[in-house]
Amino acid sequence: MDCIKNVNPAAYNYLKEVNQEKWTLVHDHGHRYGAMTTNLSECFNGVLKGARSLPITAMVKFTFYKVNSYFDERRNKTLEKLEEGQVWCKYAYDNFEENQEKAKLHIVRRMSAQQRLYTVETQSSLLNTGGGDHTHRVSLIDMTCTCGKWEANKIPCSHLIAVCAKHNHDATEYMDHFYRLEERYHSYEPIFQPLKDRLEWPEPTERRTVMPNQRLIREKGRPKSTRIRNEMDDEDRELPTSLWIENGPKLKCGLCRQEGHNHRTCPTRNVASTSHGAM
């Protein structure tokens, strides 16, 4: 915040007025599990990649079958891991094991056995500027550590693991249960029902007249269309489900109009840039 204040005081004042629980990890009380809004938006973009610039009907079908395949694939993978005896998801356990290695170098001191309060000293690190040589307060009753990582990610930090290792506690008991593969399986458990044929669609009870927004009406003349045309443009023609999942619409380069790349990675553009630089 001090850096923002030095660069742009107006931005600093604006951020001070916004509810910090809505945009910061340190004040969200662990509700985000360490995931920022940008991470979530990238997840949605990854699922819906390929649905852009399609006709509305094609876009809806593509989205439906893509999300269904996403659920089916992850449901089966999670079930396989459960049958193998795996308890925690890979992301959480990888973080846990990494913190275990760090915990081996920590020094633990018990402040109160009744209050289950401890201090953990970390050694200085020559490889990481500003890293190490700190003292953290760990409370097993409040389930807090002054480093903030345990509360933000709901995964035991290295300081908590060091306390558990010295006093013979199971550190995985302090891992949030939502990281269990059983919980992950329940997330993808719902099964999508196949879409009905258009002849089975119910008749609408009422028909509404949709009026255009006068402020959005374009000027005369046909605008240049960049929409990707496909088999859905043919009236009353259904596209096979497998085609939507495996062989989605292919983008064409805006420079050479060839498939398989875009204008940023176009070989023609790269050759032109190289020859330009040589001159």
Side-chain angles (χ1 to χ4, degrees):
M1 291 295 291
D2 290 339
C3 292
I4 295 175
K5 185 176 182 179
N6 293 332
V7 174
N8 191 332
Y12 173 83
N13 295 331
Y14 169 78
L15 292 175
K16 292 294 289 184
E17 295 176 358
V18 179
N19 187 354
Q20 292 182 332
E21 293 183 3
K22 297 184 179 298
W23 68 278
T24 61
L25 288 180
V26 70
H27 295 291
D28 77 334
H29 306 294
H31 296 310
R32 293 174 180 261
Y33 286 77
M36 296 296 288
T37 305
T38 50
N39 302 127
L40 299 176
S41 62
E42 289 301 325
C43 289
F44 287 116
N45 286 341
V47 174
L48 302 178
K49 186 178 181 181
R52 305 183 185 96
S53 302
L54 290 172
I56 294 179
T57 305
M59 187 181 300
V60 172
K61 281 194 172 185
F62 182 92
T63 304
F64 177 81
Y65 290 125
K66 186 68 179 289
V67 174
N68 174 68
S69 63
Y70 191 92
F71 267 63
D72 186 60
E73 179 184 355
R74 280 154 180 75
R75 186 191 307 117
N76 294 334
K77 287 184 177 180
T78 305
L79 189 58
E80 291 177 1
K81 297 296 183 182
L82 284 171
E83 293 175 349
E84 293 173 0
Q86 189 172 328
V87 178
W88 303 100
C89 70
K90 186 177 184 302
Y91 166 78
Y93 205 74
D94 284 350
N95 276 269
F96 182 83
E97 289 185 327
E98 182 179 345
N99 291 336
Q100 271 187 322
E101 291 298 318
K102 295 179 182 178
K104 295 177 181 179
L105 303 176
H106 297 343
I107 301 174
V108 179
R109 290 186 172 87
R110 184 170 64 190
M111 306 302 295
S112 172
Q114 292 72 31
Q115 297 296 324
R116 305 182 74 183
L117 184 64
Y118 306 86
T119 60
V120 180
E121 298 177 4
T122 62
Q123 297 183 4
S124 59
S125 175
L126 298 177
L127 300 178
N128 185 13
T129 304
D133 196 18
H134 296 291
T135 300
H136 296 282
R137 177 181 179 273
V138 178
S139 173
L140 297 184
I141 293 180
D142 297 334
M143 298 186 67
T144 59
C145 177
T146 51
C147 74
K149 297 176 183 178
W150 182 15
E151 296 172 84
N153 302 322
K154 306 298 182 68
I155 299 173
C157 60
S158 60
H159 317 112
L160 170 62
I161 295 176
V163 171
C164 293
K166 183 171 182 178
H167 296 281
N168 299 320
H169 298 310
D170 184 5
T172 58
E173 293 181 0
Y174 298 98
M175 187 105 72
D176 195 280
H177 71 279
F178 284 116
Y179 286 115
R180 289 180 174 272
L181 280 178
E182 184 179 355
E183 298 291 343
R184 178 185 173 91
Y185 176 78
H186 291 323
S187 299
Y188 297 107
E189 190 175 16
I191 298 176
F192 286 54
Q193 296 300 321
L195 295 175
K196 293 183 179 180
D197 183 77
R198 59 186 181 83
L199 298 178
E200 301 179 46
W201 294 352
E203 291 292 332
T205 56
E206 59 176 325
R207 296 184 180 274
R208 298 182 180 180
T209 302
V210 180
M211 301 299 295
N213 189 337
Q214 297 294 328
R215 294 177 297 178
L216 299 179
I217 295 180
R218 298 174 178 173
E219 299 179 356
K220 292 182 179 180
R222 183 178 179 86
K224 185 177 180 180
S225 175
T226 58
R227 179 171 58 83
I228 303 171
R229 303 187 67 83
N230 56 44
E231 289 83 352
M232 289 303 300
D233 292 326
D234 298 337
E235 189 176 359
D236 298 331
R237 181 171 179 178
E238 296 292 335
L239 194 64
T241 302
S242 59
L243 196 58
W244 289 105
I245 300 176
E246 301 174 2
N247 303 316
K250 297 181 180 179
L251 297 176
K252 287 186 177 181
C253 175
L255 296 178
C256 65
R257 308 307 299 172
Q258 299 296 319
E259 296 181 353
H261 61 270
N262 56 30
H263 70 282
R264 296 179 182 175
T265 59
C266 181
T268 305
R269 178 181 180 181
N270 295 337
V271 171
S273 301
T274 304
S275 59
H276 211 41
M279 294 175 63

